Amino acid sequence: MAKISSALYDYQSNKKLFYVSILTSPTTGGVTASFGMLGDIIIAEPNSYIAFAGKRVIEQTLKKTVPEGSQAAEYLFHKGLFDPIVPRNTLKGVLSELFQLHAFFPLNPKKSSRALSSIILFVSNKYMSWRSERIWIELITGSRKTSNFCWAFILFLGSLGFLLVGTSSYLGRNLISLFPSQQIIFFPQGIVMSFYGIAGLFISSYLWCTILWNVGSGYDRFDRKEGIVCIFRWGFPGKNRRIFLRLLMKDIQSIRIAVKEDIYARRILVLYMEIRGQGAIPLTRTDENLTPREIEQKAAELAYFLRVPIEVF
């Protein structure tokens, strides 16, 4: 165990490399006491048996009864022994996200604890929205939606077509066989089509960037045991790439349901969280397409969990 711990110290601290340990069932003895618990991020599988000594050995040595389930992954997770619990069918995706995020945010000894906690929560919540009596964790979908992919692709093809037609009228050559350049005069039709094409390409590029960076995705974490609320969102690259809010649960005054209009002038319900001294923080977006019944149910469940009233505006 000493040799393994020493080697891992050199691997992590001196070489600045990333180490993730995965605890399967069973994980006991020297594995638990050495490299199993020394990872930068420690992942456990559901219902795993994790312990240093077995139940029978502990009972014979200490002459005490070990509670049933006290060496299960779910029980130890609540005690803070490791980070996320990840089923094996989603483990590949979680590890891929962790390594990608580590490439963007390499470990810094002065900031590693906070950075790792945000990465762990985001990655695990991306694959699992989770709720218990004390903790509510909800995944927030970002810009990587089917509708955004479709609009970005259609807008790109349409604007590219407009630009090619405008360029064909200027050059006097048929870059697109369906639209002979002789039938389109460069001034003013060609100029207008070129302008629409360039504008469309800019808008399409903006949409593809939001999809690439998954802007707006993240999670909401309500921890009734610790009395805190954590809201995390991915933004655009730069100063606001990682948006993280940490609030006290006692400052939450109410859950508000408000009527808003989307871009199509349709009246929809939006959920807010009213914070004392900070105003209202939106919990849903106007483009989520949730039905009024779903919004009301979510508001009722969240208000009951937070022990706050519901307001309707």
Side-chain angles (χ1 to χ4, degrees):
M1 291 187 292
K3 292 181 179 179
I4 292 175
S5 300
S6 176
L8 284 177
Y9 178 82
D10 179 67
Y11 181 87
Q12 294 169 276
S13 300
N14 297 333
K15 296 183 180 179
K16 310 299 182 186
L17 297 174
F18 191 44
Y19 172 50
V20 179
S21 61
I22 302 171
L23 310 182
T24 58
S25 186
T27 300
T28 57
V31 175
T32 304
S34 56
F35 56 83
M37 294 298 168
L38 293 177
D40 295 309
I41 295 177
I42 304 173
I43 298 174
E45 290 190 335
N47 302 315
S48 296
Y49 180 80
I50 301 170
F52 176 69
K55 179 180 178 180
R56 179 178 55 84
V57 174
I58 296 175
E59 291 178 341
Q60 290 178 353
T61 304
L62 301 179
K63 307 301 181 182
K64 292 183 179 179
T65 302
V66 178
E68 193 67 30
S70 61
Q71 294 176 315
E74 286 70 18
Y75 177 84
L76 297 174
F77 172 77
H78 289 288
K79 298 299 182 180
L81 190 64
F82 41 81
D83 299 307
I85 296 178
V86 181
R88 186 165 296 188
N89 61 338
T90 61
L91 185 59
K92 181 179 179 181
V94 170
L95 290 174
S96 175
E97 289 281 346
L98 284 173
F99 293 138
Q100 289 180 32
L101 287 170
H102 175 66
F104 285 109
F105 306 101
L107 295 183
N108 185 320
K110 297 181 179 180
K111 301 180 180 179
S112 60
S113 177
R114 183 177 178 182
L116 277 176
S117 62
S118 299
I119 291 174
I120 291 165
L121 283 172
F122 173 71
V123 173
S124 60
N125 296 342
K126 179 174 181 179
Y127 292 89
M128 297 177 295
S129 293
W130 187 65
R131 188 185 308 181
S132 69
E133 293 182 358
R134 297 180 178 180
I135 299 178
W136 178 322
I137 300 175
E138 184 171 358
L139 167 68
I140 304 301
T141 305
S143 301
R144 292 178 183 173
K145 300 187 295 184
T146 304
S147 58
N148 286 350
F149 276 102
C150 292
W151 280 115
F153 184 71
I154 293 172
L155 189 58
F156 172 77
L157 291 181
S159 57
L160 183 62
F162 271 83
L163 182 61
L164 288 177
V165 170
T167 306
S168 297
S169 65
Y170 174 75
L171 298 176
R173 298 169 54 187
N174 294 330
L175 299 180
I176 300 181
S177 57
L178 297 177
F179 299 95
S181 60
Q182 295 82 2
Q183 298 181 3
I184 300 177
I185 304 174
F186 179 69
F187 185 83
Q189 291 94 333
I191 294 178
V192 172
M193 297 189 76
S194 298
F195 172 77
Y196 284 148
I198 294 173
L201 287 177
F202 273 110
I203 298 174
S204 175
S205 300
Y206 170 80
L207 288 176
W208 283 116
C209 287
T210 61
I211 293 171
L212 175 65
W213 295 318
N214 203 14
V215 175
S217 64
Y219 64 86
D220 295 334
R221 182 174 185 264
F222 306 92
D223 192 332
R224 198 159 60 186
K225 180 180 179 181
E226 301 293 334
I228 59 173
V229 176
C230 298
I231 298 176
F232 177 81
R233 297 291 185 274
W234 286 111
F236 287 97
K239 183 179 180 180
N240 295 323
R241 173 57 176 156
R242 297 161 57 86
I243 303 172
F244 185 79
L245 299 178
R246 185 184 178 92
L247 309 168
L248 295 177
M249 196 169 289
K250 63 181 181 180
D251 292 334
I252 302 176
Q253 294 181 313
S254 64
I255 298 297
R256 177 188 298 182
I257 301 177
V259 180
K260 298 291 183 179
E261 290 187 355
D262 61 6
I263 58 175
Y264 304 106
R266 296 178 301 184
R267 297 170 64 86
I268 60 174
L269 298 180
V270 181
L271 204 60
Y272 292 87
M273 184 169 59
E274 188 70 27
I275 307 297
R276 183 183 295 107
Q278 300 187 41
I281 297 178
L283 298 177
T284 59
R285 302 194 308 269
T286 56
D287 61 346
E288 285 194 36
N289 297 322
L290 295 176
T291 65
R293 183 182 293 257
E294 292 173 335
I295 289 289
E296 292 170 0
Q297 181 178 358
K298 182 176 180 179
E301 292 176 352
L302 187 56
Y304 177 80
F305 181 85
L306 299 175
R307 310 290 172 82
V308 296
I310 299 178
E311 298 178 352
V312 180
F313 288 85

